Amino acid sequence: MRDDVARSRRMRVVHDGSRQAPPLLLIHGSGASGACWAPMVPALAAHRHVIRVDLPGCGQSPPAPSYDVSAQAGRVAAVLDELGRGAVAVAGHSSGGYVATALAEQRPDLVRSLALISTGPSPDALLPQPFVLRALLAPPLGALLWRRRTDAMIRKGIGATAARRVEIPDELVADLKVTTYGTTREILRRNTAYTVERSVPERLAALVVPLLVIFGAADRRWEPSSAHRYGAVPGARVEMLPGVGHMPMLEAPERTGELLLSFTPSATPET
């Protein structure tokens, strides 16, 4: 593993696997960090050059002036330009799928294929959220609770979105502890604005990019049946994971990794 936080200066970038392997960029969801992918990384890195980022204001990346989805995508594009790998396979979890979609909209030259994991297609698909998340995020009490969060409370919050007991990486808990309440609230607002303006399937239908959608059949954040709205995207492949909630990377890392490997290009395109 190599951590390029100092080199990029825009956001923390972690590399795993051979630089000669086909690149696979992993983008985390709201308020999380690249550590959320940890259970999948060893298997992926055996076949891909895995690139994980901490989006601005999250994990070990510094804050940014704006958390608009388009601005986040622009920062990811700048990192990819700096790396000089050309077009890469991109996978986004939850709202990380919005950043991945915006990246494909802005810079189709950088996105070879797109995988969305537990990415809600539009605001009307959002389910009533688990109590612990509502308590932590709703003002004014949320701001007070946020400052008093313990490791156990953070683990409970993550676990509340899963449909089965999960092992939560210590690094992910540590990263979540340093992400501020204000940043998380702003990121959530900007994510909603992106999908209100235009649904994700509608955005993707206007693009020409191979699309894989992975959804837990027991997702507790988004209505699982909403995954089939992505069927409106020509050629989209939709995979439902039985008994899995909102965190396939933690709940079913082996199967999720297999799907990503089978979908993403297995060879680097000739230049």
Side-chain angles (χ1 to χ4, degrees):
M1 181 179 78
R2 179 179 170 188
D3 188 332
D4 279 356
V5 62
R7 176 173 180 266
S8 172
R9 299 191 184 281
R10 297 179 185 89
M11 62 185 75
R12 185 191 188 207
V13 182
V14 176
H15 299 269
D16 292 276
S18 170
R19 293 291 185 106
Q20 281 67 55
L24 171 60
L25 171 68
L26 304 178
I27 305 176
H28 64 80
S30 301
S33 75
C36 71
W37 303 95
M40 295 172 54
V41 167
L44 293 177
H47 305 279
R48 302 287 186 271
H49 167 203
V50 178
I51 306 165
R52 289 182 285 163
V53 296
D54 286 358
L55 292 173
C58 300
Q60 298 184 42
S61 289
S66 170
Y67 295 102
D68 281 340
V69 172
S70 60
Q72 297 278 49
R75 295 183 189 102
V76 174
V79 169
L80 291 176
D81 283 338
E82 187 176 83
L83 293 176
R85 291 302 312 262
V88 304
V90 183
H93 172 249
S94 194
S95 64
Y98 303 152
V99 177
T101 298
L103 177 65
E105 290 177 310
Q106 293 178 21
R107 295 289 303 276
D109 59 305
L110 291 178
V111 181
R112 193 176 179 196
S113 65
L114 186 60
L116 305 183
I117 303 172
S118 307
T119 298
S122 58
D124 63 327
L126 189 66
L127 295 171
Q129 299 302 286
F131 173 77
V132 64
L133 294 183
R134 285 186 281 122
L136 283 169
L137 290 170
L141 182 60
L144 297 174
L145 290 175
W146 196 271
R147 291 195 292 269
R148 293 172 171 79
R149 290 177 303 159
T150 62
D151 288 8
M153 189 180 297
I154 291 172
R155 291 179 186 279
K156 184 176 181 180
I158 298 171
T161 68
R164 59 180 73 178
R165 184 180 178 85
V166 293
E167 293 294 327
I168 300 169
D170 292 341
E171 183 184 356
L172 177 57
V173 175
D175 285 346
L176 285 168
K177 287 186 79 171
V178 300
T179 303
T180 70
Y181 176 78
T183 294
T184 302
R185 288 274 302 176
E186 183 63 15
I187 289 172
L188 290 170
R189 281 194 291 268
R190 298 302 181 178
N191 290 339
T192 299
Y194 181 76
T195 56
V196 165
E197 180 184 41
R198 200 176 180 201
S199 75
V200 184
E202 185 181 1
R203 291 173 181 276
L204 291 172
L207 306 178
V208 181
V209 60
L211 175 65
L212 169 67
V213 175
I214 301 173
F215 233 83
D219 195 304
R220 294 182 174 179
R221 290 210 68 201
W222 298 98
E223 171 55 51
S225 65
S226 70
H228 297 292
R229 298 184 194 177
Y230 288 100
V233 182
R237 173 182 167 190
V238 179
E239 294 281 351
M240 302 297 292
L241 303 181
V244 173
H246 188 63
M247 303 293 294
M249 311 92 67
L250 304 181
E251 299 176 71
E254 183 174 317
R255 177 56 179 155
T256 305
E258 288 172 352
L259 289 170
L260 284 181
L261 287 174
S262 68
F263 177 73
T264 57
S266 57
T268 302
E270 295 183 5
T271 56

